[in-house]
Amino acid sequence: METNRRDLLKLAGGAAVGIVFTPVPWRLITDAALWSENWPGTPQPAHGPLTARYTNCSLCPAGCAVRARCISNRPIGMAGVAGHPLSQGALCALGLAGHQAPYHPDRLKPASASAAPVAQAIAKGGVAVLDLRPGRTASWTYRRAMAAVKGLYVTAPQPLPFAYNLSAARTVLSIGAPLIDGWGTPGNVLRARAGFHLIQADSVESRSASLADTWLRINPGSEPALALGLAQILLQRKPKAVPAGMAEAAAQMTPARTADATALSEKEILDLADALFQNGPSVVVAGEAAPEAAALNALLGGWGQAVVARQEAPVPESWKTAAPATELASVPDGSIHTLLIDESAPGDYIPWGVIAKKLARGSSSVIVFSWSGTGYARHANLALPTAVFPEALDDLPAPADSPAAAFRLSAPLVEPPAGVVNPVEVIAKAAGIDASAALRERADAIHKTARGNLFRYADGVSTPVKDLKPEDFWNALNEGGCWIDTAQAGAPPLPKWVPSASAAGGADLAVTIVERRFAGAPGSPLMSKVYKESNLQLGPNRAALNPATAAGLGLADGARAALTTAAGSCEIEVILDPAVSPGALEVAAGPEVLDICGAFARAKVVRA
Amino acid sequence: MTFRGTLLFAGGVLASLGLGWIAFPHAIYTSRQQPVEFSHKIHTGSAGMQCEDCHALREDGSYVGIPPLEQCAGCHTEPTGQTAAEKNFIEKYVTPNREPPWLVNARQPENVWFSHTPHVRLAKLTCARCHGDQGTLDKPRVYQEDRISGYSRDIWGKPVANVKGPTQTGMKMDDCIECHRAAGLEHSCLDCHK
């Protein structure tokens, strides 16, 4: 009997049917899935003892305490430190993933770029250092270096020098400040949040507005008017000293006028004043109207109690001859020949247009120290890669919600890659000063005061500094300890009051920068299509306006327009969205937008 | 279909069933011998040792796992018997101070977080509860590894066709779930897959 092809097919068909009723296909599917988990190139954690190491996160100025779970000394997971007096055991989403920062796709690759141009630039003169996170020991080194070479130490616009004790408050009024999302130390704010009634006065439904007990939707740009209106009511009830000129300005802001300016009703304004007056202690925190908020705190009786002077950890006496800090806004336009920007410890992004104005025309150069290629490195003549958390050694000043001075080290958990530079070392060396032991010198200066307590993360014990030897104090700081001063901070002087006005004009739109959740191209073509065509998420260079606002500006849906701020201009596509507040503009974060819009920006939108 | 065709089809079905249920459960694993013919029976019997003498929890709560050669060398600097296994151990590992490349039946995948401390100290589980009768064996079990996934037979996959390993251990995910569920401790995937 001959075997033909049909016979083989029948046999194979039977085998195919039979195999389904055996463990073979099902086991092969699961095994193949497991095999794919271990393909070459898949990162595998090292084997070794599991240990805990402690440090402080330096990704933002809050500086939360971190407990890193390590295998073979390499961090594989981050968590907060329970019982920490500042961060209260919490860590934000960024901090929880902090150990992944060295692998960020936007990281500047260590290259063969030399730091020699820094020394040459300093030797030429006309140099300035822009420090985005002042108050650190590195900041003092820059100040000392600039004093040595007669350069300028420049800082970003700083918030007023107050510290807030939110746990002492029963009512908190936030006038446009991002109180719940990034204002202070996340854990500390959220812990105190349980004890106070939060009223958020905001022109947009920000995250803080969403999480507030009461959201008062006010007109964009009317924050100072609301503060002055409240001051007028409070001054009538209990007269107190306020900064010169403010009482006269407040007298003009009757409840009716305030209601006109803010779009709140007179009753809402009077009820708000009642809530602050009767449910004290009350604290007012403001983003834009900070001097007015300071006066409100003085009127509400929280001055010197819930709001105190912001304290800085002691520094060695010899440092105090360093160059003074100059705010960027005070630097004359076109006066800087070489600008060194330390972006390794970033703060709020200053629109590039604001910085560029200060550079000398034609002959200026910009040298940026940064771990990321997406910030000021885009505008630099030379971008030098730096270490990033948790590779870098740095210290962290006390955050805005700490009434006491603090000193913490962000001790490195991993070695930085070869080829990165330390901006402090480079600038100090170029200026001819020795700052190699600056952190230790500052720790010794703090120890010398014999004030305050050291909180150790490993055992959660606080020890008075006077009971510690200098060496033990320094070692404990390097193992993730935190020094907190016990000296009582006093009432700060009331800041000078000047009428608030936006840089680009009071009638301009209030800009809210929206984080683009789909930062990169989504993997699926379907998602790309939905993302690009639906406008569910604002795409790059797209801005959303309320239809009424757009109609007033003569703009239709999909129109091309120019977005202009005091710092520059860029082209945008207009999207109409009734959910956006009238008079406000929501624009997706992106390099061009950040280059012209900072916090509390005002902008004009004109049809292109 | 003709009778012949039906017969061929049935033959194909039977061949697959035989292959899948009889040959495959044996073929999926590869077997390897341990580098040292270690006798738990002698150590826990005539030598009078306890499991935790070698497989201890450190002071910080972490588990020492398989003891390092240094610990074995404490007693085995010189041969303590005349067996070939003893001679092999001394010559190949103790004298040149080389760690034996043990094949660990209990090694869990990278995505599993397991700590001995709560299981031993809080739940009071005995070693045998998960590791089976290792402590009484005269020879180490043959190490069996899934040819595709690369995992030990003890920690992955249900017994195929009821063909069990030399001992039925309790270190597979199903075993963990079953025990946690019985103790009312089943919370979430993140308990173990952190």
Side-chain angles (χ1 to χ4, degrees):
Chain A
M1 189 181 293
E2 271 188 30
T3 304
N4 55 30
R5 194 177 64 172
R6 187 169 293 239
D7 292 340
L8 287 175
L9 284 172
K10 283 173 185 167
L11 189 71
V17 170
I19 206 79
V20 174
F21 296 97
T22 70
V24 174
W26 321 114
R27 179 65 184 251
L28 289 179
I29 288 170
T30 52
D31 273 11
L34 290 168
W35 170 64
S36 70
E37 288 174 1
N38 297 312
W39 277 344
T42 307
Q44 299 286 340
H47 290 281
L50 183 68
T51 52
R53 293 169 70 195
Y54 299 88
T55 187
N56 296 287
C57 174
S58 62
L59 289 171
C60 87
C64 297
V66 171
R67 179 183 189 274
R69 203 154 56 94
C70 302
I71 288 182
S72 292
N73 267 340
R74 189 160 198 87
I76 57 160
M78 300 293 206
V81 174
H84 191 276
L86 294 180
S87 56
Q88 309 289 353
L91 209 52
C92 74
L94 188 64
L96 286 169
H99 60 299
Q100 309 284 5
Y103 313 103
H104 197 287
D106 289 335
R107 185 160 189 194
L108 276 178
K109 299 280 179 291
S112 54
S114 158
V118 178
Q120 291 161 10
I122 286 182
K124 268 200 302 188
V127 69
V129 173
L130 174 58
D131 184 5
L132 301 174
R133 197 184 293 175
R136 299 172 296 145
T137 301
S139 311
W140 279 95
T141 301
Y142 297 147
R143 291 175 62 177
R144 290 158 62 205
M146 290 302 102
V149 300
K150 298 192 169 41
L152 207 55
Y153 170 76
V154 183
T155 63
Q158 290 304 297
L160 294 168
F162 311 141
Y164 297 82
N165 183 5
L166 293 181
S167 57
R170 277 182 61 205
T171 305
V172 173
L173 169 64
S174 162
I175 307 179
L179 195 86
I180 303 289
D181 55 304
W183 173 82
T185 314
N188 199 32
V189 173
L190 290 175
R191 186 171 185 187
R193 172 76 184 84
F196 62 73
H197 183 86
L198 175 61
I199 304 165
Q200 181 80 19
D202 225 331
S203 58
V204 293
E205 192 176 3
S206 61
R207 275 173 279 187
S208 291
S210 310
L211 295 166
D213 296 299
T214 308
W215 170 34
L216 298 174
R217 187 169 178 161
I218 58 173
N219 278 337
S222 66
E223 291 85 357
L226 176 63
L228 283 174
L230 288 171
Q232 193 261 354
I233 298 166
L234 295 174
L235 276 167
Q236 281 185 347
R237 292 185 185 176
K238 197 172 181 184
K240 273 195 177 180
V242 291
M246 191 175 154
E248 293 75 20
Q252 308 294 316
M253 291 305 292
T254 60
R257 276 191 159 191
T258 311
D260 275 347
T262 59
L264 298 175
S265 68
E266 283 186 52
K267 183 176 181 307
E268 281 178 309
I269 295 164
L270 290 166
D271 287 349
L272 175 58
D274 282 343
L276 293 172
F277 201 71
Q278 290 164 8
N279 301 328
S282 295
V283 169
V284 182
V285 181
E288 199 171 358
E292 289 87 349
L296 283 178
N297 281 313
L299 291 169
L300 290 165
W303 205 243
Q305 323 262 322
V307 184
V308 295
R310 200 161 175 181
Q311 303 295 303
E312 192 179 357
V315 297
E317 279 301 314
S318 59
W319 293 6
K320 292 181 179 170
T321 54
T326 308
E327 278 206 8
L328 186 65
S330 311
V331 177
D333 289 354
S335 63
I336 299 175
H337 290 281
T338 301
L339 181 63
L340 310 174
I341 305 178
D342 178 8
E343 206 184 5
S344 63
D348 286 336
Y349 193 86
I350 310 167
W352 173 250
V354 173
I355 299 172
K357 275 186 188 171
K358 309 296 176 187
L359 299 172
R361 287 194 179 179
S363 60
S364 63
S365 66
V366 177
I367 300 173
V368 171
F369 299 89
S370 177
W371 60 268
S372 162
T374 56
Y376 299 120
R378 291 174 296 118
H379 304 286
N381 301 93
L382 175 65
L384 294 168
T386 64
V388 63
F389 175 80
E391 299 168 348
L393 175 64
D394 201 355
D395 66 322
L396 295 141
D401 54 339
S402 168
F407 185 74
R408 304 153 289 168
L409 294 182
S410 181
L413 298 177
V414 291
E415 286 286 320
V420 299
V421 300
N422 180 340
V424 180
E425 276 176 18
V426 170
I427 293 174
K429 190 178 169 192
I433 65 165
D434 179 16
S436 54
L439 283 166
R440 176 65 199 258
E441 286 169 27
R442 192 166 191 192
D444 287 346
I446 294 167
H447 184 269
K448 213 170 167 182
T449 64
R451 286 200 326 249
N453 294 309
L454 177 85
F455 178 80
R456 282 199 304 257
Y457 296 2
D459 53 12
V461 172
S462 275
T463 311
V465 169
K466 60 181 169 53
D467 296 344
L468 292 167
K469 291 178 184 164
E471 198 65 31
D472 295 338
F473 181 59
W474 172 246
N475 290 339
L477 287 170
N478 276 285
E479 287 163 7
C482 172
W483 172 79
I484 299 180
D485 202 353
T486 41
Q488 293 292 315
L494 278 174
K496 283 183 186 168
W497 179 78
V498 284
S500 295
S502 65
D508 292 342
L509 305 175
V511 177
T512 302
I513 297 175
V514 182
E515 291 294 333
R516 277 163 39 211
R517 267 168 271 178
F518 294 138
S524 155
L526 176 68
M527 282 305 294
S528 297
K529 191 169 173 61
V530 171
Y531 165 57
K532 284 178 183 165
E533 296 183 5
S534 69
N535 282 323
L536 290 172
Q537 295 286 329
L538 276 178
N541 289 1
R542 284 184 178 178
L545 282 167
N546 186 285
T549 311
L553 296 168
L555 295 166
D557 195 24
R560 308 295 302 179
L563 172 71
T564 307
T565 70
S569 181
C570 74
E571 194 176 316
I572 54 164
E573 182 187 339
V574 172
I575 306 296
L576 300 189
D577 185 350
V580 177
S581 299
L585 173 78
E586 286 189 8
V587 59
E592 296 92 351
V593 168
L594 288 175
D595 277 348
I596 61 166
C597 298
F600 315 115
R602 299 253 179 265
K604 284 184 195 302
V605 178
V606 182
R607 192 162 55 184
Chain B
M1 193 184 287
T2 62
F3 176 72
R4 184 164 179 265
T6 309
L7 206 63
L8 282 168
F9 186 84
V13 171
L14 285 174
S16 281
L17 291 175
L19 186 78
W21 288 102
I22 299 167
F24 177 75
H26 294 280
I28 190 72
Y29 295 109
T30 175
S31 298
R32 288 150 70 188
Q33 294 293 337
Q34 294 285 358
V36 177
E37 205 171 286
F38 178 82
S39 172
H40 273 100
K41 191 178 174 184
I42 292 174
H43 287 80
T44 57
S46 54
M49 295 171 75
Q50 302 294 318
C51 300
E52 55 272 20
D53 290 340
C54 300
H55 306 288
L57 291 173
R58 297 189 188 95
E59 274 184 19
D60 64 0
S62 61
Y63 179 59
V64 78
I66 291 179
L69 181 69
E70 184 188 2
Q71 192 167 341
C72 307
C75 300
H76 291 271
T77 318
E78 297 295 328
T80 54
Q82 300 298 320
T83 62
E86 179 77 10
K87 187 167 178 270
N88 172 59
F89 178 55
I90 302 292
E91 286 178 359
K92 275 193 176 170
Y93 301 107
V94 178
T95 307
N97 195 25
R98 188 164 73 92
E99 289 288 341
W102 295 107
L103 301 162
V104 186
N105 290 297
R107 174 157 291 148
Q108 295 290 327
E110 302 293 357
N111 60 356
V112 176
W113 187 85
F114 175 84
S115 170
H116 275 88
T117 311
H119 293 87
V120 174
R121 291 196 177 152
L122 293 178
K124 309 281 185 204
L125 298 184
T126 61
C127 303
R129 173 68 182 80
C130 303
H131 295 278
D133 58 358
Q134 297 262 15
T136 61
L137 296 180
D138 197 25
K139 285 183 179 177
R141 285 170 40 212
V142 173
Y143 177 78
Q144 290 185 299
E145 184 182 281
D146 187 305
R147 290 179 192 272
I148 301 170
S149 71
Y151 290 146
S152 153
R153 181 176 191 155
D154 283 9
I155 61 113
W156 171 248
K158 292 179 180 175
V160 181
N162 211 27
V163 175
K164 296 178 179 178
T167 54
Q168 183 60 21
T169 61
M171 292 179 292
K172 297 180 173 66
M173 189 170 89
D174 288 347
D175 301 317
C176 301
I177 292 173
E178 192 181 311
C179 190
H180 276 231
R181 195 169 282 167
L185 294 168
E186 187 192 17
H187 296 126
S188 77
C189 305
L190 292 176
D191 287 349
C192 306
H193 300 291
K194 289 182 189 295

